[in-house]
């Protein structure tokens, strides 16, 4: 059957206008902070100015008496109300004991462990009244010694952040074969090493976090906690809120509208989310908080902050024999599953990158310090690991006096080695890495560099270049995704997904995949995301949305057509085997007897055809690339 005209014009692989953009470019985007509800209250968090201190008292009496103040909550108030701390560490310590971290609560209770940790929240009629009241709260602190560096934190006598980790090591993991790596290094013709500090960073999306929560008194959500926020993972927020506050998950509905950038920083639940949800649940009034930029610098998860020593052993021909890495990750004041996994597990998955390195010995520890906790941001562990390996390749090329591109080529995995299992047990299904390298070298005119450098030198300038070839891991190890399709009587096909749009154009991609199956105009497709009443799942993180969600769109769309064929057969009084579908219409084969898809939907109960199906990927995907950078500089400036 020939592809329908609409699929040819608007299906996958075609260049189309993004369906998300008209609302955004005309100022009609709906972000959380755009929502203002009748009777809405505003929240402000009071944050610790100390990196480490005992809270010996909080006097909020004057603040509570100020105009417009509706409520003030402290950590002690939330503990007394039964609000639970957030989940702990699922990884063991190097000594085999369970991973250690102090309980992280919505508001600090008894002790603060980093500058910016929230100690109280003010709820008032206006944001200015809330800010004024927060300034009037008196907190008595007994300042304690603090430590902000991983190595200082592990030193004898360093202040401990929790009793279960007197050495401040929250968790650790070792990978590979220590003895085999030692033997490879002993037999190597060449060894190189680098010490790298992947420095800490603070996230800064255009849209800071925002949360709006309410408990409607009537309507379809009556008596439920309804939370609208800027998030990549609505289901995770729903589960975290329900667990912390002590509600059944179905009592909580999480909504996400437009998201002005996530980049990993808006994955999962934050302490502020719990405090806001508790305030709305307790007061039974709408409440809203929008982070200021300083709130994000202090309270949103930071990224990176890992110091590593990496070593590479090579034979006389420059073939890599073994990789050794020791990494010390500063995960901040509280160890989290995400913050620790990124450095001790996810980064190591790609540490051998696109290279045939047969042996590894990698050891990582996650260290607690009096700094903001770390989490996912912009690549989450993979950039740190790849940077180490690429630095080692450059060091080896210099030592062997070899072209750095040629050294990389010599060590690249070949297509005939696929599928290939790397030393971390990760399976690469396919890869033509040298082909990508060749494309990069050609585009950068690699062989013409010497002439360009000579020209620069003749003009008194300096010219240099760098190359990196790399591998990425996608899927978040959440490889199952479901999509619900609704064909409506008013002429639309709705796709309900638990993945989350945040600027990456996912709605357009999903719509194109649906067009492939349904053969209708792309304007007939509606993509519905960000509502836990419609769909629940892992969400969007780890570069998984199109990889898993797109497959689910395709599978669920095909199921919808197959299910609708049976309905069409009944409506047309013909055998189901004789029903053909093309471009929004069912026909009895060999006749002009038929019925439109949307007309068929109108005949069904509720005026719609509904189908849900899921897709399961067999494993992660492994995108790869080659970057070449060439720079000329003027020594005088």
């Amino acid at each position: 059957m020939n592809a329908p005209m609409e699929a040819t014009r608007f299906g996958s692989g075609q260049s189309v206008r993004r369906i998300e953009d008209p609302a955004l470019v005309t100022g009609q985007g709906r972000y959380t902070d755009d929502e203002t509800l009748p009777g809405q209250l505003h929240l402000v968090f009071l944050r610790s100015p100390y990196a480490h201190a005992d809270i010996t008292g909080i006097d909020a009496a004057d603040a509570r008496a100020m105009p417009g103040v509706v409520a003030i909550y402290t950590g002690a108030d939330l503990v007394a109300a039964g609000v639970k701390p957030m989940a702990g560490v699922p990884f063991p310590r190097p000594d085999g004991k369970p991973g250690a971290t102090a309980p992280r609560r919505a508001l600090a209770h008894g002790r603060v462990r980093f500058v910016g940790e929230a100690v109280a929240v003010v709820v008032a009629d206006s944001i200015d009244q809330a800010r004024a009241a927060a300034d009037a709260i008196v907190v008595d602190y007994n300042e304690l010694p603090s430590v902000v560096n991983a190595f200082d934190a592990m030193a004898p006598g360093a202040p401990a952040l929790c009793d279960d980790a007197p050495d401040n090591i929250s968790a650790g993991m070792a990978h590979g074969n220590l003895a085999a790596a030692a033997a490879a290094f002993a037999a190597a013709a060449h060894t190189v090493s680098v010490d790298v500090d992947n420095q800490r960073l603070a996230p800064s999306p255009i849209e800071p976090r925002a949360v709006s929560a309410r408990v409607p008194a009537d309507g379809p959500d009556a008596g439920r906690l309804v939370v609208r926020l800027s998030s990549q993972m609505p289901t995770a927020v729903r589960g975290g809120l329900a667990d912390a506050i002590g509600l059944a998950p179905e009592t909580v509905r999480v909504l996400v509208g437009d998201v002005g950038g996530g980049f990993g920083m808006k994955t999962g639940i934050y302490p502020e989310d719990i405090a806001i949800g508790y305030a709305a649940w307790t007061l039974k009034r709408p409440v809203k908080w929008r982070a200021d930029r300083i709130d994000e610098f202090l309270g949103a998860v930071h990224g990176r902050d890992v110091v590593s020593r990496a070593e590479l052993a090579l034979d006389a021909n420059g073939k890599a024999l073994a990789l050794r890495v020791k990494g010390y990750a500063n995960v901040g004041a509280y160890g989290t599953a995400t913050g620790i996994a990124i450095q001790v597990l996810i980064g190591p998955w790609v540490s051998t990158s696109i290279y045939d390195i047969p042996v590894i010995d990698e050891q990582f520890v996650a260290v607690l310090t009096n700094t903001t906790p770390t989490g996912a941001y912009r690549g989450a562990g993979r950039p740190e690991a790849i940077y180490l390996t690429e630095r080692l390749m450059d060091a080896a090329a210099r030592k062997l006096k070899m072209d750095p591109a040629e050294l990389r080529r010599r060590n690249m995995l070949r297509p005939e080695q696929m599928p290939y299992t790397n030393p971390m047990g990760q399976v690469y299904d396919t890869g033509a890495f040298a082909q990508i390298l060749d494309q990069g070298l050609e585009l950068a005119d690699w062989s013409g560099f010497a002439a360009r450098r000579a020209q620069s030198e003749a003009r008194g300038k300096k010219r240099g270049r760098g190359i990196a070839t790399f591998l990425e891991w996608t899927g978040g190890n959440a490889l199952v995704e479901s999509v619900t399709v609704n064909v409506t009587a008013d002429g639309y096909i709705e796709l309900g997904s638990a993945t989350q749009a945040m600027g990456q154009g996912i709605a357009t991609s999903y719509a194109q995949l649906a067009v492939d199956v349904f053969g209708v105009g792309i304007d007939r497709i509606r993509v519905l995301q960000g509502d836990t009443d419609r769909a629940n799942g892992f969400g969007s993180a780890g570069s998984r949305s199109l990889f898993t969600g797109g497959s689910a769109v395709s599978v669920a769309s095909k199921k919808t057509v197959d299910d609708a064929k049976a309905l069409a057969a009944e409506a047309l009084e013909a055998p189901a085997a004789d029903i053909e579908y093309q471009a929004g219409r069912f026909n009895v084969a060999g006749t002009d007897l038929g019925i439109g898809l949307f007309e068929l939907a109108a005949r069904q109960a509720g005026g719609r055809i509904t189908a849900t199906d899921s897709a399961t990927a067999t494993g992660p995907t492994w995108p790869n690339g080659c970057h070449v950078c060439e720079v000329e500089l003027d020594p005088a400036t």
Side-chain angles (χ1 to χ4, degrees):
M1 183 172 64
N2 293 329
M5 180 63 70
E6 296 298 340
T8 303
R9 292 174 57 201
F10 299 116
S12 59
Q14 302 303 310
S15 177
V16 302
R17 289 183 178 272
R18 295 191 350 157
I19 64 176
E20 302 93 337
D21 290 353
L24 298 176
V25 300
T26 57
Q28 299 178 63
R30 295 300 298 171
Y31 299 88
T32 300
D33 197 35
D34 291 328
E35 180 174 85
T36 299
L37 299 170
Q40 176 177 280
L41 303 173
H42 297 264
L43 293 94
V44 167
F45 287 92
L46 179 65
R47 300 183 181 275
S48 169
Y50 294 100
H52 202 194
D54 284 328
I55 302 172
T56 58
I58 299 179
D59 183 356
D62 290 346
R64 285 191 171 96
M66 293 177 69
V69 174
V70 175
I72 294 176
Y73 301 110
T74 67
D77 294 330
L78 269 55
V79 169
V83 178
K84 298 176 185 176
M86 299 169 69
V89 178
F91 298 95
R93 280 169 38 88
D95 58 14
K97 294 180 180 179
T101 186
R104 190 178 189 191
R105 300 184 178 276
L107 299 171
H109 178 54
R111 179 173 293 185
V112 293
R113 292 178 172 83
F114 66 96
V115 172
E117 185 169 9
V119 298
V121 60
V122 178
V123 188
D125 290 330
S126 74
I127 189 69
D128 290 336
Q129 290 170 329
R131 286 171 175 157
D135 289 341
I137 298 173
V138 178
V139 183
D140 292 325
Y141 295 99
N142 177 27
E143 188 175 5
L144 301 170
S146 60
V147 61
V148 298
N149 173 282
F151 295 100
D152 293 342
M154 294 184 292
L161 273 78
C162 78
D163 294 339
D164 292 333
D167 54 4
N168 286 319
I169 295 177
S170 179
M173 293 191 80
H175 309 287
N177 188 320
L178 187 151
F185 272 84
H190 305 283
T191 64
V192 291
S193 66
V194 294
D195 294 304
V196 173
D197 182 353
N198 275 286
Q199 75 273 17
R200 176 174 285 242
L201 57 81
S204 188
I206 292 177
E207 180 209 23
R209 287 175 294 152
V211 185
S212 173
R214 58 193 172 95
V215 181
D218 50 32
D221 288 319
R224 302 174 73 195
L225 176 60
V226 181
V227 178
R228 181 180 293 275
L229 78 167
S230 184
S231 176
Q232 300 171 224
M233 302 174 75
T235 298
V237 173
R238 184 187 73 158
L241 282 170
D243 183 65
I245 300 174
L247 304 174
E250 59 270 18
T251 306
V252 181
R253 183 182 187 185
V254 173
L255 301 168
V256 179
D258 290 313
V259 175
F263 310 109
M265 179 271 274
K266 292 177 182 174
T267 54
I269 192 166
Y270 275 92
E272 292 93 340
D273 303 338
I274 297 172
I276 295 161
Y278 173 80
W281 184 253
T282 303
L283 298 172
K284 299 296 188 287
R285 289 184 62 182
V287 299
K288 186 170 80 171
W289 171 72
R290 197 248 14 250
D292 290 331
R293 190 58 65 187
I294 191 65
D295 289 309
E296 298 297 61
F297 279 130
L298 296 176
V301 292
H302 287 184
R304 316 282 193 251
D305 205 345
V306 55
V307 176
S308 308
R309 160 152 285 223
E311 302 171 276
L312 188 65
L314 306 102
D315 68 15
N317 295 316
K319 175 68 178 66
L321 304 173
L323 170 69
R324 285 199 298 219
V325 180
K326 284 191 175 181
Y328 302 88
N330 178 353
V331 296
Y334 298 95
T336 66
T338 301
I340 291 174
I342 285 167
Q343 300 302 345
V344 307
L345 185 61
I346 296 175
W349 280 342
V350 302
S351 59
T352 55
S353 188
I354 62 177
Y355 306 118
D356 187 8
I357 303 175
V359 178
I360 64 170
D361 168 19
E362 301 187 5
Q363 301 173 40
F364 301 90
V365 291
V367 185
L368 300 170
T369 69
N370 296 112
T371 59
T372 303
T374 61
Y377 197 63
R378 300 297 304 200
R382 286 98 76 195
E384 297 94 307
I386 292 294
Y387 184 47
L388 280 177
T389 305
E390 290 302 292
R391 285 285 305 275
L392 286 170
M393 285 290 168
D394 280 344
R398 287 192 296 270
K399 186 167 187 177
L400 276 66
K401 296 180 171 54
M402 186 182 296
D403 183 314
E406 175 55 31
L407 180 70
R408 286 168 168 82
R409 185 191 307 278
R410 193 165 295 187
N411 283 284
M412 283 179 179
L413 292 161
R414 302 180 307 279
E416 61 266 26
Q417 291 177 269
M418 303 297 162
Y420 171 83
T421 303
N422 77 8
M424 285 293 296
Q426 299 298 303
V427 180
Y428 305 167
D429 54 342
T430 185
F433 306 130
Q435 180 180 334
I436 300 298
L437 170 66
D438 289 339
Q439 291 180 41
L441 297 180
E442 181 180 355
L443 290 168
D445 187 19
W446 183 264
S447 60
F449 172 73
R452 291 191 297 276
R453 183 167 61 182
Q455 292 170 1
S456 294
E457 290 175 351
R459 293 183 285 108
K461 307 292 177 64
K462 300 291 185 181
R463 182 176 288 263
R465 68 178 177 185
I467 184 171
T469 51
F470 64 94
L471 182 85
E472 165 68 312
W473 161 88
T474 72
N477 268 17
L479 302 176
V480 180
E481 193 64 43
S482 296
V483 164
T484 297
V485 179
N486 285 312
V487 180
T488 67
D490 60 350
Y492 290 94
I493 298 167
E494 298 176 341
L495 310 175
S497 172
T499 57
Q500 183 57 50
M502 49 183 166
Q504 76 275 53
I506 197 70
T508 300
S509 299
Y510 284 0
Q512 288 183 275
L513 290 166
V515 168
D516 286 345
V517 177
F518 289 105
V520 299
I522 199 169
D523 60 333
R524 296 290 94 191
I525 310 296
R526 290 172 171 168
V527 180
L528 307 177
Q529 298 174 288
D531 185 348
T532 57
D533 274 9
R534 285 185 175 271
N536 284 285
F538 186 80
S540 288
S543 303
R544 70 179 296 274
S545 300
L546 186 59
F547 171 39
T548 58
S551 298
V553 166
S554 184
V555 169
S557 296
K558 291 173 183 175
K559 176 176 171 52
T560 305
V561 171
D562 288 342
D563 290 353
K565 281 182 178 180
L567 300 175
E570 182 178 343
L572 298 172
E573 299 180 349
D578 291 345
I579 302 299
E580 296 178 343
Y581 175 81
Q582 186 172 11
R585 186 170 178 81
F586 295 94
N587 280 92
V588 178
T591 75
D592 58 0
L593 184 63
I595 186 171
L597 174 64
F598 303 113
E599 180 187 350
L600 182 64
R603 295 191 181 190
Q604 310 309 310
R608 61 181 55 212
I609 300 169
T610 299
T612 299
D613 209 342
S614 62
T616 302
T618 57
T621 63
W622 305 96
N624 64 96
C626 171
H627 288 177
V628 177
C629 179
E630 189 169 312
V631 178
E632 183 186 69
L633 62 84
D634 185 340
T637 60

